[in-house]
Amino acid sequence: MIEAAWEDVHFSAYEEGLSQNKTMILRPASRNLAGKRKLLRRLFAQLGKRFDNSADYLDEERQTCIEFIDAVYPGLNLPVRYVIGRLSLIPDDLVRMALDGENELK
């Protein structure tokens, strides 16, 4: 598993990831081989980025879990909101969009 948590974006053991109180498993509905390669390149480019404790969407050096998803899946068009004095992404929006069929994730 890859997660954005605690200190940075990193690999974690499957069991460790599922033992958290909040886990989301994302899968693209369908992709051809070239699309999968692009997705993996974007994913691996995020490894090692520091965790964004301030949830500042404009801070490109740090990421929250939802900012990590946005970077890997740019076509999701997640809404950016002004929250607590800064632009942020809200995880609930991704869940709502997936449940409503508004994006390519299952």
Side-chain angles (χ1 to χ4, degrees):
M1 296 183 79
I2 297 177
E3 63 179 340
W6 303 104
E7 294 186 16
D8 59 8
V9 178
H10 58 271
F11 286 104
S12 65
Y14 181 76
E15 296 80 13
E16 182 181 331
L18 291 180
S19 70
Q20 305 302 316
N21 62 356
K22 297 174 186 168
T23 300
M24 181 182 296
I25 298 173
L26 300 173
R27 290 194 243 161
S30 64
R31 288 198 184 265
N32 59 28
L33 186 57
K36 288 178 184 178
R37 286 183 178 146
K38 285 181 184 177
L39 185 144
L40 287 171
R41 279 195 288 275
R42 287 192 301 266
L43 188 143
F44 284 106
Q46 306 312 309
L47 287 173
K49 285 194 175 181
R50 304 296 297 164
F51 189 76
D52 185 0
N53 292 306
S54 66
D56 183 354
Y57 180 71
L58 299 178
D59 183 352
E60 295 181 10
E61 299 302 315
R62 298 175 180 266
Q63 288 183 330
T64 62
C65 54
I66 192 70
E67 291 169 350
F68 168 69
I69 293 166
D70 185 61
V72 175
Y73 295 97
L76 294 178
N77 299 315
L78 297 173
V80 179
R81 300 187 199 194
Y82 191 74
V83 181
I84 313 172
R86 65 188 57 90
L87 292 174
S88 298
L89 295 174
I90 309 300
D92 292 359
D93 288 331
L94 175 62
V95 173
R96 180 194 48 77
M97 292 170 72
L99 291 174
D100 291 346
E102 295 179 30
N103 58 39
E104 64 183 78
L105 299 175
K106 293 181 176 184

